[in-house]
Amino acid sequence: MSDRLSVLKTYKLYVGGKFPRSESGRVYEVTDSKDKWLANAPMSSRKDARDAVVAARKAFGGWSGATAYNRGQILYRVAEMLEGRREQFVAEVADAEGLSKSKAGAVVDAAIDRWVWYAGWSDKVAQIAGSANPVAGPYFNLSTPEPTGVVAVLAPQDSSFLGLVSVIAPAIVTGNTVVVTTSKKSPLPALSLGEVLATSDLPGGVVNILSGRTAELAGPLAAHQDVNAIDLAGAAGDAELATALETAAADNLKRVLRPQAVDWAADPGTERLLAFLETKTVWHPMGV
Amino acid sequence: MTFEYAPAPESRAVVDIAPSYGLFIDGEFTEAADGKVFKTVSPANEEVLSEVAQAGAQDVDRAVRAARKAFEKWSALPGAERAKYLFRIARIIQERSRELAVLESLDNGKPIRESRDSDLPLVAAHFFYYAGWADKLGHAGYGANPRPLGVAGQVIPWNFPLLMLAWKIAPALACGNTVVLKPAETTPLSALFFADICRQAGLPKGVVNILTGDGTTGAELVAHPDVNKVAFTGSTEVGKAIARTVAGTDKKLTLELGGKAANIVFDDAPVDQAVEGIVNGIFFNQGHVCCAGSRLLVQESVQDELLDALKRRMATLRVGDPLDKNTDIGAINSAEQLARIKSLAEAGEQEGAERWAPACELPDSGYWFAPTLFTGVTQAHRIAREEIFGPVLSVLTFRTPEEAVEKANNTPYGLSAGIWTEKGSRSLWMAGKLRAGIVWSNTFNKFDPASPFGGYKESGFGREGGRHGLEAYLDV
């Protein structure tokens, strides 16, 4: 056993491609499953949430305008970078969720594989969700999916990493930008994911990560007039909160993905991919 | 010399309107539990056409229970059998289309030319289109064996009463749902005639239920705990209230709400075609169209030429008797809507925009508004921001394509947009940049059952029409 004292990490938020502390100056104590202190995490404020929305909106034009091929490459790059830092995430997930090394390893592997699965969807989703429409007239008529815009995502409380990845990746692969609130109890894998995203060619602002009290952050996000959609996964089990958020979301007719029981380890299907898409239909006359 | 048009009225004799109608519940016409009724009038001359029942909470409950009971058998029918019912309905609509067109023009005030040539063919086409899906749902991309949701509560507006009914009922039935539909308060008659078509088609009792009434009836229906799916077309304000009502429930919701579409004309657009498109975009159905092209964005260099041509064209529009086959612009649907149009037009003048309308004589009785143009409109003006839902066009200008995109997207709505340019690459670039669910390029206000329709942002969510329209009525 060496006498060397290890260097602890100061966990920070990930907003607009940068790593700010919470503007509130607040932190809270994060412990492992045996109540051992792990780190202090930033306790984000509503101002942090607003800043994150500004960053996400700013990034939307570039990210949604990037080619699907390019977005797929970048999601795959995230998987590459995670693979290289696998051990770190295995340790963090084991601590966060009280799992054995081997079980945590399986979770991290599944999360990496999920990035790869969604990466492959980038240039295919338009082909399964779009259509050429045979209208009764001399018109070229085509429907294509487009991203909804800025999506607020409440990451699941119980699955600090696989659940987190499972809600972020489908939202961004189609060109949305997201503001994600981490699991309240286990934010550290999420905050570390920010470091991976920052080194994965993902433009700053496409994913913005906030740790803190879900209920405190979710309210302003659900009511925010410049947020276009909200994924309530992190409000599962709190019907009162979920209803309040859905009610607030009605003010600007946000698209709402209601909380439901999800087995994050199972095949995710396309539901989350399609939940944050709009269909645009373009008409043009045909003739000579 | 100019030749005057002689009156060319369509005959009213083809439609037989009863003095009163009940609610259509479980295959029977029945009075409202509390006996309440209201009158429906022709907006063209304020003549009372009929008296219909006002459904209350008890009636809503009765209709939902009838739909629930019918759901069991209807959803268990083989898709091919459901398809045949829908084909029958489509055929009967075709057979009775003249009658229905006259009825629609009487109750709604829209020109017979539009109800006859636009609404009714589309109504029949919607039933034909979705009939064909009923036995092919496994191929629609929603899984191998997609299931219906149950009872659909549907609330529709007054601008296209029968067409909106078709948009709602055809996909719902094709997917195996049963429905309780509430038509708008000012235009209940064609839905009640549709109930008779269901009878003629032999549709099982309770599969389609029609509840006439006002907003309170709609609110009761939306809030009913045994409704599985809510579909609404109407104002954004009511849409938001409905979204709040269904929050925290497991009701599936689709909303088709308001719009403030930009119709963008570039300097290389063919002027005459663009003018026709602008006129069709804003004056079709008296401008009572959620996707109406109510903001004309014209490139500065062609503003004068385009506006001259547009004014010349507007001067030829014929306003008057909806049943006259030569009428272009009929009556405003209600006194309430007329008051709203007038108040917004006045706000336009007060805020400094310049108002113009061609000289035209309006009938003495009924609700009328002349086709109107505002120039010198800025983005801050109410007439550029709020949905007027009437024959009022606001003209703004732009210099560059980027500016056009920015102005077009500068609205909480995102339903539709128009682009007029001969340059294909520019048209496709613009179509990509516009945040709207429907983009008409070198055309406007085209609809087809095969083509998905619906908005971005505060114009609502969900799509109607096409394969996409099935999703709203399936458990996916």
Side-chain angles (χ1 to χ4, degrees):
Chain A
M1 182 99 183
S2 115
D3 292 334
R4 181 176 174 274
L5 192 64
S6 62
V7 178
L8 293 178
K9 182 160 94 182
T10 302
Y11 284 88
K12 296 188 189 177
L13 307 176
Y14 181 53
V15 175
K18 295 190 168 64
F19 296 94
R21 291 183 163 86
S22 168
E23 69 76 41
S24 68
R26 298 178 305 185
V27 293
Y28 68 106
E29 195 168 299
V30 179
T31 57
D32 67 10
S33 57
K34 296 190 186 69
D35 270 349
K36 187 168 83 64
W37 185 86
L38 291 172
N40 291 325
M43 176 76 88
S44 309
S45 64
R46 47 198 307 141
K47 173 74 162 52
D48 291 317
R50 289 202 297 268
D51 290 347
V53 173
V54 170
R57 174 59 63 196
K58 202 170 152 201
F60 179 70
W63 182 241
S64 60
T67 63
Y69 181 54
N70 183 227
R71 286 198 302 268
Q73 294 274 301
I74 290 173
L75 262 78
Y76 183 73
R77 180 77 176 155
V78 174
E80 288 181 346
M81 302 307 277
L82 272 176
E83 193 76 55
R85 292 170 67 165
R86 185 176 177 280
E87 292 317 308
Q88 176 199 342
F89 282 92
V90 171
E92 284 188 339
V93 170
D95 282 344
E97 299 178 23
L99 299 176
S100 68
K101 271 275 153 60
S102 71
K103 281 194 172 145
V107 167
V108 172
D109 290 346
I112 295 171
D113 291 352
R114 195 136 298 171
W115 282 106
V116 176
W117 143 269
Y118 279 117
W121 267 118
S122 71
D123 48 8
K124 293 158 197 77
V125 68
Q127 292 180 318
I128 66 140
S131 60
N133 311 311
V135 298
Y139 295 92
F140 175 82
N141 188 238
L142 198 71
S143 293
T144 46
E146 289 192 343
T148 301
V150 174
V151 181
V153 176
L154 313 186
Q157 302 295 336
D158 53 350
S159 180
S160 65
F161 192 58
L162 178 56
L164 171 88
V165 167
S166 302
V167 292
I168 296 176
I172 64 171
V173 69
T174 50
N176 296 292
T177 57
V178 313
V179 175
V180 60
T181 65
T182 69
S183 162
K184 157 75 168 56
K185 183 169 69 71
S186 312
L188 302 186
L191 296 174
S192 290
L193 179 68
E195 298 159 21
V196 170
L197 298 179
T199 53
S200 302
D201 306 326
L202 190 76
V206 173
V207 174
N208 303 276
I209 302 173
L210 304 173
S211 55
R213 284 189 287 259
T214 304
E216 178 183 354
L217 299 170
L221 289 171
H224 200 298
Q225 297 296 298
D226 204 29
V227 172
N228 303 103
I230 187 164
D231 180 344
L232 298 180
D238 188 343
E240 205 176 314
L241 174 64
T243 302
L245 295 173
E246 188 176 344
T247 306
D251 276 347
N252 71 333
L253 294 162
K254 284 182 189 66
R255 282 65 178 138
V256 175
L257 187 60
R258 290 176 179 144
Q260 51 203 305
V262 182
D263 174 6
W264 299 109
D267 176 348
T270 55
E271 188 194 1
R272 290 199 131 71
L273 196 64
L274 302 177
F276 304 116
L277 291 176
E278 297 291 343
T279 297
K280 177 182 279 177
T281 299
V282 178
W283 291 69
H284 197 285
M286 290 189 300
V288 288
Chain B
M1 72 175 274
T2 53
F3 291 97
E4 288 299 317
Y5 283 91
E10 173 64 280
S11 166
R12 274 188 72 155
V14 294
V15 59
D16 186 12
I17 303 174
S20 71
Y21 288 92
L23 310 168
F24 185 66
I25 298 174
D26 205 16
E28 310 282 339
F29 279 102
T30 161
E31 283 179 23
D34 58 12
K36 279 194 189 160
V37 295
F38 63 97
K39 291 176 168 51
T40 185
V41 303
S42 168
N45 56 13
E46 299 170 65
E47 170 200 347
V48 175
L49 295 172
S50 188
E51 201 172 71
V52 299
Q54 156 87 30
Q58 255 181 291
D59 306 304
V60 169
D61 189 56
R62 206 149 47 100
V64 171
R65 274 190 284 123
R68 170 66 57 202
K69 196 166 128 240
F71 174 67
E72 216 171 293
K73 282 190 184 158
W74 180 249
S75 59
L77 267 190
E81 295 300 301
R82 286 203 308 272
K84 286 194 282 184
Y85 281 111
L86 289 172
F87 279 123
R88 280 186 181 188
I89 291 172
R91 274 285 189 244
I92 297 171
I93 288 168
Q94 285 182 324
E95 285 169 3
R96 297 178 63 175
S97 69
R98 184 165 170 197
E99 172 195 2
L100 292 167
V102 172
L103 176 74
E104 197 81 322
S105 283
L106 278 171
D107 203 19
N108 169 280
K110 64 171 63 195
I112 186 70
R113 192 169 56 80
E114 291 177 4
S115 51
R116 182 192 62 194
D117 299 347
S118 176
D119 292 37
L120 261 300
L122 277 171
V123 170
H126 261 87
F127 280 97
F128 276 116
Y129 178 78
Y130 279 109
W133 269 121
D135 55 357
K136 300 170 191 69
L137 295 172
H139 299 277
Y142 301 108
N145 187 24
R147 302 182 47 74
L149 294 162
V151 175
Q154 307 178 318
V155 179
I156 57 169
W158 45 259
N159 56 344
F160 295 91
L162 201 52
L163 182 59
M164 292 299 103
L165 173 147
W167 283 26
K168 295 283 182 291
I169 291 184
L173 297 194
C175 294
N177 304 277
T178 54
V179 310
V180 179
L181 177 129
K182 190 201 85 73
E185 187 183 3
T186 59
T187 55
L189 293 182
S190 51
L192 295 166
F193 274 58
F194 180 79
D196 189 52
I197 290 170
C198 293
R199 177 190 64 81
Q200 290 185 331
L203 194 71
K205 287 174 193 246
V207 171
V208 169
N209 304 275
I210 309 281
L211 295 179
T212 46
D214 58 14
T216 60
T217 312
E220 289 284 354
L221 178 58
V222 165
H224 194 288
D226 204 29
V227 163
N228 305 101
K229 192 258 161 3
V230 171
F232 172 74
T233 295
S235 75
T236 292
E237 187 193 342
V238 175
K240 289 178 181 181
I242 291 174
R244 286 182 202 107
T245 302
V246 305
T249 70
D250 55 9
K251 288 175 191 172
K252 194 162 177 169
L253 176 65
T254 47
L255 299 171
E256 295 289 353
L257 309 175
K260 194 71 194 174
N263 206 351
I264 304 158
V265 181
F266 283 97
D267 57 8
D268 66 342
V271 173
D272 290 342
Q273 282 176 40
V275 164
E276 281 309 304
I278 294 161
V279 165
N280 178 37
I282 185 62
F283 300 123
F284 177 63
N285 202 34
Q286 298 73 249
H288 299 331
V289 187
C290 50
C291 51
S294 54
R295 287 183 298 153
L296 175 63
L297 293 182
V298 55
Q299 198 155 21
E300 216 174 76
S301 49
V302 290
Q303 183 190 7
D304 293 343
E305 182 192 358
L306 186 84
L307 287 181
D308 286 348
L310 179 58
K311 287 177 177 175
R312 268 200 309 277
R313 178 67 180 87
M314 281 172 67
T316 67
L317 291 171
R318 295 169 59 80
V319 184
D321 182 5
L323 285 189
D324 190 317
K325 291 170 204 158
N326 292 322
T327 291
D328 297 306
I329 298 183
I332 300 301
N333 183 253
S334 65
E336 188 191 355
Q337 185 57 28
L338 180 60
R340 175 172 166 76
I341 296 168
K342 280 182 171 168
S343 114
L344 273 162
E346 275 157 28
E349 278 181 300
Q350 278 158 19
E351 290 180 349
E354 193 180 327
R355 180 175 182 161
W356 181 88
C360 72
E361 240 174 86
L362 301 179
D364 298 330
S365 63
Y367 317 124
W368 303 92
F369 198 88
T372 298
L373 181 76
F374 276 100
T375 50
V377 179
T378 75
Q379 295 186 80
H381 286 163
R382 283 182 67 194
I383 51 169
R385 307 206 65 80
E386 295 179 33
E387 189 178 37
I388 299 174
F389 225 64
V392 181
L393 180 65
S394 298
V395 183
L396 297 92
T397 60
F398 67 92
R399 290 184 180 177
T400 64
E402 289 78 10
E403 190 189 347
V405 167
E406 201 187 306
K407 284 185 168 168
N409 286 341
N410 182 14
T411 163
Y413 296 113
L415 188 50
S416 62
I419 305 168
W420 297 87
T421 174
E422 286 288 68
K423 196 173 169 190
S425 59
R426 177 152 62 198
S427 173
L428 292 172
W429 178 87
M430 286 289 293
K433 293 279 180 192
L434 294 169
R435 299 292 292 167
I438 305 106
V439 177
W440 285 293
S441 192
N442 290 335
T443 183
F444 209 94
N445 268 348
K446 290 284 177 282
F447 308 94
D448 192 279
S451 182
F453 181 97
Y456 284 32
K457 302 196 282 184
E458 294 193 21
S459 290
F461 37 76
R463 293 293 178 270
E464 296 184 286
R467 181 187 71 82
H468 294 75
L470 295 167
E471 197 250 347
Y473 292 96
L474 292 171
D475 184 11
V476 290

